[in-house]
C-alpha cells in the first residue's frame, strides 16, 4: 500500500504477513500503547502458531488500543477470521490467509475498543513508537515469564485520554463504525470459532 508523506503523518499502515490484507490505522483514533502478559493473549499467539513473532521474552504482547472507526481495511477484508478462547471470551481477529493476528474486540460493537496486535502494524517498516508513542501501560504481569519492569511514564494521562475518547465514541454514535461488526445489528462480520475447554487447555499447556 503506497502512502504519501501526508498520509504517513495521519495514518499507520496495517497489513498481514503475506500482504493479502492491507489497510491503515488513523493515528488520532489510538488510545495508547501497552503490553499485555495475560494467558489468553499468550494462548492466542500459540493458536496461530505465531508465538515467536508475537510474544516478547516475558510472554507479553505489544498492543495498540484504538477506536474501531480508526481501523480501515483497503483490501482483503474477506480474509478476516475470528475466534474465542471460550464462550465468554473476547473476539480475537486474525487473517486466515497467513494467520497474522489483527487484534481483539468485545463480542459486539457497543464497546468502542479494538486492541491491535503489533504484528499487523510492523509489516511496512514504520516504527510503532513513531506513530503511537512509547508503551504507557503493562497489564497482567502476574502471568509474565519473569519480573516485569515498572509501568512506563504517562499511564494516568493516557488512561484519561482513553476514557474521554471512549465516551465521545458513545455520545456521537461513532462506536457503530467498525470494520469488525455489522453497524445495524452489532454482530461480528464473520462467525467466530469458539474453542472447547479441551482445546483451550491444550493451548494453555504450551505456555
Amino acid at each position: 500500500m503506497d502512502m504519501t508523506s501526508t498520509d504517513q503523518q495521519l495514518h499507520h499502515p496495517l497489513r498481514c504477513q503475506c500482504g493479502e490484507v492491507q489497510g491503515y490505522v488513523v493515528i488520532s483514533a489510538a488510545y495508547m500503547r501497552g503490553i499485555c502478559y495475560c494467558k489468553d493473549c499468550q494462548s492466542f499467539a500459540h493458536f496461530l502458531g505465531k508465538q515467536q513473532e508475537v510474544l516478547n521474552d516475558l510472554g507479553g504482547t505489544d498492543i495498540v488500543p484504538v477506536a474501531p472507526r480508526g481501523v480501515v481495511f483497503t483490501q482483503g477484508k474477506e480474509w478476516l477470521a475470528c475466534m474465542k478462547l471460550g464462550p465468554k471470551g473476547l473476539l480475537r481477529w486474525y487473517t486466515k490467509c497467513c494467520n497474522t493476528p489483527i487484534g481483539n474486540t468485545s463480542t459486539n460493537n457497543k464497546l468502542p475498543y479494538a486492541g491491535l496486535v503489533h504484528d499487523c502494524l510492523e509489516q511496512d517498516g514504520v516504527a510503532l513508537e513513531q506513530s503511537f508513542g512509547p508503551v504507557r501501560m503493562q497489564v497482567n504481569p502476574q502471568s509474565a515469564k519473569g519480573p516485569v519492569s515498572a509501568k512506563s511514564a504517562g499511564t494516568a494521562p493516557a488512561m484519561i485520554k482513553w476514557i474521554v475518547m471512549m465516551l465521545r465514541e458513545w455520545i456521537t454514535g461513532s462506536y457503530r463504525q467498525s470494520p469488525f461488526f455489522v453497524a445495524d445489528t452489532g454482530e461480528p462480520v464473520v462467525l467466530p470459532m469458539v474453542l472447547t475447554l479441551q482445546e483451550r487447555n491444550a493451548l494453555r499447556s504450551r505456555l
Side-chain angles (χ1 to χ4, degrees):
M1 178 179 59
D2 295 329
M3 282 190 176
T4 67
S5 58
T6 301
D7 288 336
Q8 290 173 343
Q9 294 173 5
L10 302 174
H11 302 157
H12 183 98
L14 180 156
R15 70 185 295 270
C16 68
Q17 188 173 14
C18 73
E20 288 286 350
V21 178
Q22 297 192 34
Y24 60 86
V25 180
V26 178
I27 294 174
S28 62
Y31 297 141
M32 66 169 74
R33 184 170 157 223
I35 296 177
C36 181
Y37 297 92
C38 79
K39 293 188 181 298
D40 283 353
C41 284
Q42 294 179 38
S43 296
F44 181 47
H46 280 270
F47 168 80
L48 297 174
K50 299 288 186 178
Q51 59 272 21
Q52 297 298 324
E53 296 96 326
V54 174
L55 304 178
N56 66 20
D57 292 342
L58 297 177
T61 302
D62 197 331
I63 294 176
V64 178
V66 302
R69 62 173 171 77
V71 182
V72 178
F73 293 103
T74 56
Q75 73 172 56
K77 190 176 176 180
E78 67 273 13
W79 290 104
L80 278 181
C82 70
M83 58 87 72
K84 297 172 68 175
L85 289 165
K88 297 182 180 180
L90 296 174
L91 294 180
R92 295 180 181 272
W93 298 85
Y94 62 99
T95 64
K96 56 188 176 183
C97 49
C98 59
N99 275 10
T100 298
I102 299 297
N104 60 74
T105 68
S106 63
T107 55
N108 56 53
N109 67 353
K110 293 181 180 179
L111 182 66
Y113 165 88
L116 300 180
V117 176
H118 68 95
D119 209 42
C120 69
L121 302 174
E122 294 178 327
Q123 300 293 337
D124 280 353
V126 182
L128 291 186
E129 189 152 341
Q130 177 182 334
S131 296
F132 306 111
V135 170
R136 300 290 186 185
M137 178 177 291
Q138 302 192 66
V139 297
N140 299 303
Q142 70 277 6
S143 297
K145 300 182 183 301
V148 175
S149 61
K151 294 179 181 178
S152 302
T155 297
M159 283 297 297
I160 293 172
K161 177 185 177 183
W162 188 346
I163 293 170
V164 170
M165 289 182 69
M166 289 184 74
L167 287 173
R168 185 181 301 134
E169 297 296 309
W170 262 99
I171 293 170
T172 62
S174 298
Y175 70 90
R176 297 187 182 91
Q177 302 172 22
S178 170
F180 305 107
F181 299 98
V182 180
D184 293 339
T185 66
E187 296 295 317
V189 293
V190 297
L191 185 67
M193 175 178 64
V194 183
L195 298 191
T196 65
L197 179 60
Q198 291 76 16
E199 290 171 329
R200 185 165 74 253
N201 288 341
L203 287 175
R204 289 288 177 88
S205 69
R206 303 180 196 174
L207 306 184

